[in-house]
C-alpha cells in the first residue's frame, strides 16, 4: 500500500476513540500496519472493554488495511511491552508509537483525592513511559530508528481544576524532550502534540474552543511519524485542526550574579532581584480573567432571557 507510512509498523494507544481512533485509521490509510491499543474505558477510566479496540481494527481491515487490537491498561508496564511485542512479533519491527490514551478526573487541588491524582498521572505519564521504554529498546537496534509521538495538552502550562492532568501532561513534555535528547544518536525522534478537538473529553470544557473533529489532528501525527519529519525532534505542536503552532524552547532569559561570586544573602535578593531579573507574568492569568468574565456575562444574559416566575403563563 502506498502512502506516507507505507510498510511502517505503528502502535497507537487510545486508538479506540476520539483522536487515537482517527490517528489509527489515518496511519492505516497511509499504508502502516497498526496496533490499536485501547482499554475501552469511560472518560474517567472505568469499565474496561475490548470492544472499542476490536471495532477500530475491524474498520481498518474492512478498508483493506492491517491491524491488531491490544486491549489493556497502558499504565501497566507489561501492557506497554505487549503492545510493542505485538508489532515486532507479527511484522518484524516497531517504527512509530503514538501515545494518545488518556483519562480525566477533574477536581480543585484542595479537594483532590490521592487516587484522582495517581490514576491520572499513571495513565498519562506511565502510559507514555511504558510505550517509549519498550519501543526505544527495539528502535535503537533498528537501522531505521523510529518515532515517538506523545500527546500533551495546552493545560501542561497550568489548569484550574485539573492539577493532576496538568502535572501529568507537563511530565509527558519533559519525558518526550528527554527521549528526544537521549535518543537522537539512535535515529529516534520524539515530539509532542497538544491537540484541541471536539471529542468526549472536550465536552465539559466550560468555554468556547477553537476546535475541529478528532480527524483534524491525525495528519500532524502521521507527519511526525513519517520520513518527512525525521529531522524534527523535541518539539511541541499545538493543533486545533485549522491551526498548527510550535511552542518555544524553555530557556533562562535573565540572570544576576552574586557580588562575592558564591551566593546571595536574603537582603541582597530583596534589594536586587526585583530590578535586575524581576519576574515573568503568567499569560494564563489574563486568559482566566477574560474567561471568567465571559462566563459571568453569559450567565447574566441567560438569567435575563429566562421568564420570571409566573411570567410564562401570561401568554
Ligand atoms: N480532545 C481535546 O480537546 C484534547 C485536548 C488536550 C489534550 N488531549 C489529549 O489527547 C488525547 C486523546 O484525547 P481524546 O479527546 O481523543 O479522548 P477520548 O476520551 O476520546 O479517547 C481516549 C481513549 O483512551 C483510552 N484509554 C483511557 N485510559 C486508558 C488506559 N489506561 N489504557 C489504554 N487506553 C486507555 C480510552 O478508552 C479512549 O478510547 C488524550 O491524551 C488527551 O489528554 C485532548
Amino acid at each position: 500500500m502506498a502512502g506516507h507510512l507505507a510498510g511502517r509498523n505503528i502502535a497507537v494507544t487510545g486508538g479506540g476513540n476520539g483522536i487515537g481512533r482517527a490517528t489509527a485509521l489515518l496511519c492505516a490509510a497511509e499504508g502502516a500496519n497498526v496496533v490499536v491499543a485501547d482499554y475501552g474505558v469511560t472518560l474517567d477510566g472505568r469499565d474496561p472493554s475490548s470492544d472499542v479496540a476490536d471495532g477500530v481494527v475491524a474498520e481498518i481491515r474492512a478498508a483493506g488495511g492491517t491491524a491488531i487490537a491490544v486491549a489493556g491498561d497502558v499504565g501497566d508496564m507489561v501492557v506497554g511491552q505487549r503492545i510493542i511485542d505485538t508489532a515486532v512479533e507479527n511484522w518484524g519491527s516497531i517504527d512509530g508509537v503514538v501515545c494518545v490514551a488518556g483519562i480525566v478526573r477533574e477536581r480543585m487541588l484542595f479537594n483532590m483525592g490521592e487516587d484522582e491524582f495517581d490514576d491520572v498521572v499513571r495513565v498519562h505519564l506511565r502510559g507514555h513511559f511504558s510505550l517509549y521504554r519498550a519501543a526505544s529498546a527495539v528502535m535503537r537496534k533498528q537501522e531505521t530508528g523510529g518515532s515517538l509521538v506523545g500527546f500533551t495538552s495546552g493545560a501542561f502550562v497550568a489548569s484550574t481544576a485539573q492539577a493532576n492532568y496538568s502535572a501529568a501532561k507537563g511530565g509527558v513534555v519533559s519525558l518526550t524532550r528527554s527521549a528526544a535528547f537521549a535518543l537522537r544518536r539512535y535515529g529516534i525522534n520524539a515530539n509532542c502534540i497538544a491537540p484541541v478537538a471536539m471529542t468526549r473529553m472536550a465536552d465539559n470544557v466550560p468555554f468556547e474552543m477553537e476546535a475541529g473533529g478528532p480527524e483534524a489532528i491525525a495528519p500532524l501525527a502521521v507527519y511526525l511519524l513519517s520520513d518527512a519529519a525525521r529531522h524534527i525532534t523535541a518539539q511541541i505542536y499545538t493543533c486545533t485542526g485549522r491551526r498548527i503552532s510550535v511552542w518555544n524552547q524553555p530557556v533562562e532569559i535573565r540572570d544576576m550574579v552574586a557580588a562575592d561570586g558564591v551566593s546571595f544573602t536574603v537582603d541582597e535578593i530583596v534589594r536586587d532581584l526585583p530590578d535586575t531579573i524581576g519576574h515573568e507574568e503568567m499569560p494564563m492569568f489574563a486568559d482566566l480573567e477574560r474567561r471568567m468574565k465571559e462566563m459571568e456575562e453569559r450567565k447574566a444574559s441567560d438569567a435575563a432571557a429566562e421568564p420570571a416566575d409566573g411570567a410564562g403563563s401570561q401568554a
Side-chain angles (χ1 to χ4, degrees):
M1 201 184 270
H4 288 288
L5 301 176
R8 297 295 161 86
N9 305 317
I10 308 288
V12 183
T13 76
N17 265 311
I19 299 166
R21 172 177 169 274
T23 301
L25 293 175
L26 189 61
C27 285
E30 290 291 343
N33 306 311
V34 184
V35 179
V36 178
D38 202 295
Y39 204 23
V41 287
T42 56
L43 190 55
D44 61 357
R46 286 175 292 107
D47 306 331
S49 147
S50 56
D51 292 352
V52 290
D54 288 341
V56 174
V57 165
E59 277 185 85
I60 291 173
R61 289 183 182 161
T66 305
I68 301 174
V70 174
D73 174 6
V74 292
D76 179 343
M77 298 302 288
V78 173
V79 174
Q81 188 65 53
R82 194 188 322 142
I83 292 166
I84 302 307
D85 289 348
T86 299
V88 174
E89 284 162 14
N90 285 279
W91 306 317
S93 71
I94 180 75
D95 304 306
V97 156
V98 192
C99 297
V100 196
I103 61 169
V104 285
R105 301 259 176 92
E106 204 166 311
R107 192 86 65 199
M108 289 303 282
L109 182 60
F110 40 78
N111 288 327
M112 189 173 287
E114 196 176 332
D115 288 353
E116 288 167 329
F117 184 83
D118 286 349
D119 289 351
V120 168
V121 170
R122 189 182 54 78
V123 171
H124 289 277
L125 189 49
R126 267 176 75 107
H128 278 70
F129 172 60
S130 72
L131 269 287
Y132 284 5
R133 197 210 171 285
S136 62
V138 179
M139 288 172 174
R140 68 187 280 255
K141 296 183 183 149
Q142 295 176 169
E143 213 169 286
T144 49
S147 300
L148 307 174
V149 180
F151 267 72
T152 183
S153 159
F156 89 87
V157 178
S159 167
T160 45
Q162 300 193 68
N164 48 359
Y165 182 78
S166 177
K169 290 306 201 185
V172 166
V173 167
S174 295
L175 181 70
T176 305
R177 289 172 56 82
S178 296
F181 193 48
L183 304 178
R184 184 162 71 161
R185 77 177 88 157
Y186 303 109
I188 300 170
N189 64 340
N191 296 286
C192 276
I193 296 174
V196 191
M198 295 315 295
T199 65
R200 64 181 187 170
M201 199 176 272
D203 278 352
N204 294 332
V205 176
F207 47 84
E208 283 199 14
M209 297 196 314
E210 172 192 334
E215 53 294 326
I217 309 298
L220 179 59
V222 167
Y223 167 69
L224 292 173
L225 293 165
S226 74
D227 283 346
R230 295 310 302 216
H231 60 294
I232 304 227
T233 200
Q235 303 300 306
I236 308 171
Y237 291 107
T238 289
C239 181
T240 68
R242 72 170 192 93
R243 191 173 62 84
I244 297 175
S245 56
V246 68
W247 287 72
N248 64 354
Q249 295 284 340
V251 287
E252 295 162 0
I253 53 175
R254 289 185 291 276
D255 67 1
M256 61 184 205
V257 178
D260 68 358
V262 180
S263 64
F264 293 95
T265 64
V266 178
D267 283 342
E268 285 168 336
I269 295 174
V270 169
R271 186 191 65 207
D272 294 340
L273 186 142
D275 295 330
T276 52
I277 58 172
H279 70 284
E280 289 290 300
E281 279 304 326
M282 189 185 201
M284 285 181 78
F285 278 128
D287 280 352
L288 183 63
E289 271 167 36
R290 182 180 48 77
R291 281 174 187 164
M292 302 281 273
K293 207 166 148 231
E294 277 171 12
M295 276 198 293
E296 269 157 34
E297 283 168 1
R298 213 175 307 138
K299 241 193 254 169
S301 88
D302 288 353
E306 242 170 54
D309 271 355
S313 60
Q314 311 240 321

